[in-house]
Amino acid sequence: MTTYTLRSASPAKTRADAVVVGVLSGDSRPSLAPGGEDVLDAYGRRLAPLLASLGVTGKAGEVVKVPTSKAIASPMLVLVGLGPSVTATSVRRGAGAAARAVTNAASVAVALPADSPELVRAATEGYLLGGYTFTAYKKQSSTSTAPGEVVVLSPASRKKDVAAAFEEAQVLARAVAGVRDWVNTPPNDLRPPSFADAVVAANKARGRGAATITVKVLDEEQLAELGCGGILSVGAASDAPPRLVELTYAPQGATTHLALIGKGITFDTGGLSIKPAANMHEMKSDMAGAAAVVQATFAIADLGLPLKVTTYASLAENMLGGSATRPGDVVTMYGGTTVEVLNTDAEGRMVLGDALVMASEKEPDVMLDVATLTGHMVVALGDRVGGVLGDDDVVAAVMAAATVAGEDHWPMPIPEFMDERIHSSRIADLAQHDWIRWGGGLYAAAFLREFTGGLPWAHLDIAGPAYNSGGPTGHLTSGGTGVAVTTLVEYARTLSEHGLPARGA
């Protein structure tokens, strides 16, 4: 296991197997970023021609390893491109790229720009997440190339806020990695009952000294007694029945209450409205929203944020079979709203609907739901940006939190005419889907809004960024990304400090 320490020391004199410094791209030539001044002094006039001969540009994502020949105490200098300027985002991504480039080193010193809490957090998070691997199903899973020690170098290491940011980064990275582990787990090993068990086990693993989170699991019989028709209809054809997991974190003295709701489809065939076979294997990631809200709750508690959090992870497996929900069926949701099902591959809104009503009954100050909900949002925003829809004030606050967290989300509207579309069913209160090609992500959000009880609410559609089908980039590795966790935690922090602004303010 890698240990992380924060220290104020010279990168040129630090005796680590590798020292990581940043490189900024310039108009004329690249230059070492802040944090690498002592390395520059050690090399002197030799550095510029060395960078030129190696073709170093400082472009974001660039990593060049250089044997130092005793120019500095470390035998290996790792040059990481940060692009044209120092930002928390460039540092986070640069640290992630470095973590994958440095293998089989017993110790690494990270001397990226880190003179503020934001940059220390970025460097630490980036290195932790960039070095993430998922090897549970590999024969050689016990073989690790991760360093035994990573030292984050910061001239401000003795400041309390910097030290706190360093510790917080490790909590957040652990939560993000927890989401990645669950998303990357094969769907035969993470079905609704086993996912619920995994949440219970993960909470217990936090240890006796951790802030208390209570976990309650509702099985299919209890869901039926409550009338949770949405989640039951989605999971009707699976031999692994649905579960609804409720987590409660209620620190003493908390005056603000946040509800988090996550979509947890452990595998999505599309049901009778079956998906194309190509890339269906990636539908194991359709539970990323549930994983995100659970791990965010753990992080909020571990950071001791002074607000109450009630979290619902709505878990089902959308399969085919004789008991599967049919297009044309009418389902009665928890709370009594009837829904005409017209596309069984639009199942996420059904499992969220039950949970949203249940959450609203707790009368939270604000509700956030997170879901890999619609391909429409991927068409609109691509595969690296999530959409945020809902009440304007809440959406703005989520966007502000995302900026601090370093995640890419974008506000999207819920046009007034969507209300007419979702009420187009001739036989039920709501139409679950309408097969109009345009604006499907906006339609889905309008549908979800019907179950919020009029409470302040925002919906995060992470269908694009929840799973990285390509190669690693920056601090994002292939497979599950853990997106939304850091945004949710930052939102919770702001809410606990400032409360919810007056609606329309």
Side-chain angles (χ1 to χ4, degrees), residues 322-337:
S323 58
T325 296
R326 296 160 289 260
D329 283 357
V330 172
V331 172
T332 301
M333 308 286 284
Y334 178 75
T337 298

Side-chain angles (χ1 to χ4, degrees), residues 1-90:
M1 178 179 291
T2 303
T3 60
Y4 279 72
T5 55
L6 180 66
R7 189 183 305 163
S8 176
S10 166
K13 298 177 181 179
T14 298
R15 295 187 179 278
D17 289 344
V19 170
V20 178
V21 298
V23 181
L24 295 171
S25 59
D27 294 335
S28 58
R29 62 181 182 178
S31 60
L32 292 195
E37 292 89 350
D38 285 359
V39 172
L40 175 60
D41 290 342
Y43 274 89
R45 294 181 179 180
R46 293 176 294 165
L47 185 63
L50 176 63
L51 297 182
S53 65
L54 293 171
V56 175
T57 66
K59 179 182 178 181
E62 178 184 68
V63 180
V64 178
K65 294 187 283 186
V66 184
T68 64
S69 302
K70 298 184 179 180
I72 61 176
S74 172
M76 182 68 67
L77 178 63
V78 183
L79 303 168
V80 180
L82 302 181
S85 62
V86 173
T87 65
T89 296
S90 67

Side-chain angles (χ1 to χ4, degrees), residues 107-487:
S107 59
V108 178
V110 179
L112 295 173
D115 59 356
S116 69
E118 294 77 17
L119 293 178
V120 166
R121 170 180 161 179
T124 308
E125 269 184 33
Y127 205 94
L128 276 160
L129 294 176
Y132 168 88
T133 58
F134 184 73
T135 59
Y137 292 81
K138 297 278 191 179
K139 281 186 178 181
Q140 303 299 324
S141 61
S142 61
T143 303
S144 175
T145 60
E149 181 184 22
V150 173
V151 180
V152 177
L153 301 180
S154 169
S157 63
R158 295 184 180 181
K159 293 184 178 180
K160 288 184 178 180
D161 57 350
V162 169
F166 175 69
E167 297 298 329
E168 178 178 321
Q170 295 175 74
V171 172
L172 292 170
R174 183 168 62 245
V176 173
V179 175
R180 291 180 179 182
D181 284 347
W182 282 339
V183 171
N184 290 332
T185 298
N188 56 316
D189 281 349
L190 198 74
R191 305 178 81 189
S194 56
F195 192 2
D197 291 343
V199 173
V200 173
N203 186 45
K204 289 182 179 178
R206 295 173 55 243
R208 292 185 178 181
T212 300
I213 294 176
T214 59
V215 181
K216 178 181 179 182
V217 179
L218 300 179
D219 63 21
E220 69 274 24
E221 293 182 358
Q222 293 167 306
L223 292 170
E225 289 176 6
L226 290 169
C228 295
I231 186 171
L232 289 169
S233 70
V234 173
S238 174
D239 61 356
R243 294 288 185 268
L244 184 63
V245 182
E246 178 185 344
L247 297 86
T248 304
Y249 165 62
Q252 189 173 3
T255 59
T256 307
H257 184 186
L258 169 66
L260 301 176
I261 301 94
K263 171 189 173 183
I265 303 300
T266 60
F267 192 75
D268 184 17
T269 66
L272 294 178
S273 306
I274 192 168
K275 292 178 178 292
N279 298 320
M280 193 192 286
H281 64 283
E282 293 184 357
M283 285 300 100
K284 67 179 183 179
S285 67
D286 215 14
M287 35 61 68
V293 298
V294 169
Q295 289 289 348
T297 305
F298 291 160
I300 289 167
D302 291 343
L303 292 172
L305 299 185
L307 82 166
K308 179 179 179 179
V309 180
T310 305
T311 298
Y312 291 91
S314 200
L315 315 180
E317 187 177 49
N318 190 20
M319 302 292 282
L320 293 85
S323 58
T325 296
R326 296 160 289 260
D329 283 357
V330 172
V331 172
T332 301
M333 308 286 284
Y334 178 75
T337 298
T338 58
V339 174
E340 183 181 10
V341 177
L342 296 168
N343 177 2
T344 62
D345 192 25
E347 83 297 329
R349 64 200 71 180
M350 300 296 288
V351 302
L352 288 174
D354 285 341
L356 281 165
V357 176
M358 199 169 291
S360 71
E361 292 179 342
K362 303 287 187 180
E363 298 183 344
D365 295 294
V366 61
M367 301 196 297
L368 302 180
D369 75 74
V370 185
T372 48
L373 202 64
T374 65
H376 294 268
M377 203 59 64
V378 185
V379 172
L381 298 176
D383 60 1
R384 295 191 183 182
V385 180
V388 185
L389 307 92
D391 294 0
D392 290 344
D393 299 330
V394 183
V395 169
V398 170
M399 291 300 303
T403 298
V404 174
E407 292 194 328
D408 294 321
H409 299 282
W410 194 257
M412 299 289 281
I414 307 178
E416 201 172 309
F417 61 80
M418 286 296 169
D419 190 65
E420 180 180 347
R421 284 176 59 177
I422 65 172
H423 287 94
S424 62
S425 174
R426 297 178 180 178
I427 60 173
D429 296 322
L430 297 174
Q432 170 244 21
H433 189 263
D434 68 0
W435 291 106
I436 295 175
R437 292 179 61 191
W438 322 117
L442 317 183
Y443 181 106
F447 181 91
L448 292 178
R449 185 174 56 187
E450 294 293 305
F451 299 92
T452 63
L455 293 172
W457 156 82
H459 157 63
L460 283 71
D461 190 332
I462 59 169
Y467 194 86
N468 177 18
S469 301
T473 175
H475 62 294
L476 298 177
T477 50
S478 299
T481 64
V483 70
V485 170
T486 54
T487 293

